[in-house]
Amino acid sequence: MSTLRRELGLLEAVVYGVGLILGAGIYAILGEATGVTGGSIVVSFLLAAAIASLTGLSYAELASIFPKAEGDYIYVRKAFDREIIADVTAFGRLSMGVISSAAVALAFSGYLSVFVDVPSVLIAVFLVVLMTGVNFWGIELSTKLNLLFTGIEVAGLLIIIWIGSGSWGDAQVLQAPNGLFGVVNASFLIFFAYLGFGSIVNLAEETEGATVTIPRAIILSIGITTVLYVLVGLSAVALVDWQVLGRSASPLAEVAAVGWGPFGATALGVIALFSTTNTVLILQISTSRLLYGVSKSEYHVFPETFSRVHPSRQTPHYAVALVGLLTIPFVFLDDIGLVAGLANLMLLIVFVLVNVALLKLRYSRPDADRGFRAPLNVGQLSLTAVGGLLTSLGLIVFYIATW
């Protein structure tokens, strides 16, 4: 069989996006980001959300025109008809997927260390191998686990919001010990938290009514997670000193400990294990689907072997295995901030190309069937795509200048 099984509806696609975004953001990078910006982490969340939303609208429109597992690659290829540009896009997305997976696996080890003294790198490698196995087994099992784990991680965030809601007035949201530089730097790190919306498009060939469902899933995922991010960030800095959060490998457990004592820290630590596990799983799924898509015979970006589908499991088994293997070396960097920064850089390069692709396709294919059209237009010019392009370029310049 050469095609993937369509098992996902709007609910499942939104849950995939929400699960991926939440796990990578709040549970993995909150401490690192708060450590550079203090109480103004709330402002950084809002800034990162605005930037992500601009590019998210471009993804939504492009996914409604080309509902393919190869996602970003096919958008750029159709826009420019230049294989080298499309190949750079495919390489960037593949790199982002495996590097991000490594970063979140390291976050899993950080939370596990609250309970037992374990070698972080080896535990992270074990998690990657285990989730590769689940990915191979089938999209139906992966979807069920994703629904369960996402429910658990959202419950954990609601607990944090409930614990901190009475202290929101104490949060110093304009506190910026490192000034504007710190706010922007934190926004760059937090941008890692929004990588999930770009990966939703890779599930298009396993989604029913993809031309409409995928755009809706992207918009809903960004909206839902932004509300949760802002409220959790507000609760965190209201209850715990920003410097303590910045030093912690398990920041939400620190927040829960203030409200519920040792039991709270334990409960959030366990929930964070589910959350980060869920994120690694979804990253492995979406990245392997991208690899599967760009390895099809009409592209030959990678050997056609990786576009083969297992006859009984109906998953791209060779692509699944390669993505798992490519993830492991980045785990050995053993630095969440560094790994997340590298993932962001690759992601932002892809975002630049995706926004330019939409701008070009608006003129070269104005009559293409669209299940969704980005708002705020002047004629065929998409203002949101222009905004996504400029902000992505700005963050790239910022990252390179501060390397």
Side-chain angles (χ1 to χ4, degrees):
M1 181 171 288
S2 60
T3 58
L4 303 176
R5 180 183 297 166
R6 292 190 184 273
E7 296 275 357
L8 309 179
L10 178 60
L11 174 62
E12 291 82 4
V14 170
V15 171
Y16 262 99
V18 170
L20 180 53
I21 295 172
L22 291 182
I26 287 290
Y27 288 95
I29 207 70
L30 175 66
E32 188 93 19
T34 305
V36 300
T37 194
S40 57
I41 187 69
V42 175
V43 178
S44 296
F45 270 125
L46 290 171
L47 179 58
I51 295 172
S53 296
L54 293 171
T55 298
L57 291 169
S58 294
Y59 268 96
E61 180 170 335
L62 290 167
S64 76
I65 306 173
F66 309 109
K68 297 290 186 180
E70 47 270 36
D72 329 61
Y73 172 83
I74 193 69
Y75 310 155
V76 174
R77 185 183 176 103
K78 293 292 186 181
F80 299 106
D81 197 27
R82 295 286 188 277
E83 290 188 9
I84 184 63
I85 301 176
D87 290 353
V88 168
T89 304
F91 177 78
R93 280 286 284 111
L94 178 63
S95 300
M96 184 278 294
V98 298
I99 296 171
S100 301
S101 188
V104 182
L106 288 169
F108 173 90
S109 298
Y111 279 99
L112 187 61
S113 66
V114 172
F115 306 103
V116 290
D117 185 13
V118 293
S120 61
V121 171
L122 292 181
I123 292 299
V125 169
F126 173 77
L127 179 64
V128 171
V129 172
L130 180 61
M131 291 303 100
T132 298
V134 174
N135 186 9
F136 161 75
W137 193 254
I139 193 66
E140 185 176 1
L141 173 61
S142 300
T143 299
K144 289 178 179 177
L145 288 176
N146 177 240
L147 285 168
L148 174 62
F149 288 4
T150 299
I152 292 172
E153 67 186 74
V154 169
L157 298 184
L158 292 176
I159 289 172
I160 292 294
I161 292 170
W162 178 67
I163 290 174
S165 59
S167 303
W168 286 347
D170 299 328
Q172 300 179 34
V173 296
L174 298 180
Q175 175 197 50
N178 293 314
L180 181 61
F181 172 84
V183 174
V184 177
N185 193 11
S187 294
F188 175 81
L189 288 172
I190 292 168
F191 200 70
F192 175 73
Y194 286 96
L195 59 87
F197 75 80
S199 298
I200 296 173
V201 300
N202 302 122
L203 302 177
E205 292 183 38
E206 293 165 284
T207 302
E208 298 176 355
T211 58
V212 175
T213 301
I214 294 297
R216 289 177 179 174
I218 292 171
I219 295 168
L220 287 171
S221 296
I222 294 175
I224 291 168
T225 53
T226 296
V227 172
L228 289 171
Y229 277 160
V230 170
L231 295 181
V232 170
L234 189 61
S235 297
V237 295
L239 292 174
V240 181
D241 182 83
W242 66 274
Q243 293 174 312
V244 174
L245 289 172
R247 293 191 298 266
S248 178
S250 50
L252 287 188
E254 298 277 359
V255 179
V258 173
W260 279 5
F263 170 78
T266 300
L268 260 293
V270 171
I271 290 172
L273 293 176
F274 281 103
S275 175
T276 47
T277 297
N278 190 34
T279 304
V280 173
L281 172 60
I282 307 171
L283 280 167
Q284 291 288 304
I285 292 171
S286 62
T287 307
S288 62
R289 273 39 172 194
L290 170 73
L291 177 58
Y292 154 83
V294 300
S295 300
K296 293 174 182 176
S297 58
E298 62 262 41
Y299 305 135
H300 288 303
V301 180
F302 297 101
E304 192 176 347
T305 298
F306 297 112
S307 69
R308 294 179 184 173
V309 176
H310 194 275
S312 60
R313 302 263 50 97
Q314 292 181 256
T315 53
H317 51 306
Y318 290 116
V320 167
L322 181 61
V323 168
L325 289 172
L326 291 175
T327 301
I328 292 174
F330 290 99
V331 171
F332 284 89
L333 292 176
D334 199 18
D335 184 330
I336 294 177
L338 172 61
V339 178
L342 291 173
N344 275 347
L345 181 60
M346 301 308 299
L347 182 65
L348 287 165
I349 292 172
V350 172
F351 281 2
V352 167
L353 293 172
V354 167
N355 282 301
V356 173
L358 177 60
L359 291 170
K360 188 173 188 303
L361 286 167
R362 280 288 187 88
Y363 292 94
S364 62
R365 297 194 181 193
D367 299 323
D369 290 335
R370 288 169 165 82
F372 172 84
R373 186 179 177 87
L376 302 179
N377 303 290
V378 176
Q380 295 295 340
L381 179 66
S382 170
L383 298 182
T384 56
V386 172
L389 170 63
L390 295 177
T391 52
S392 296
L393 284 172
L395 285 180
I396 290 173
V397 171
F398 177 83
Y399 179 75
I400 293 174
T402 56
W403 176 261

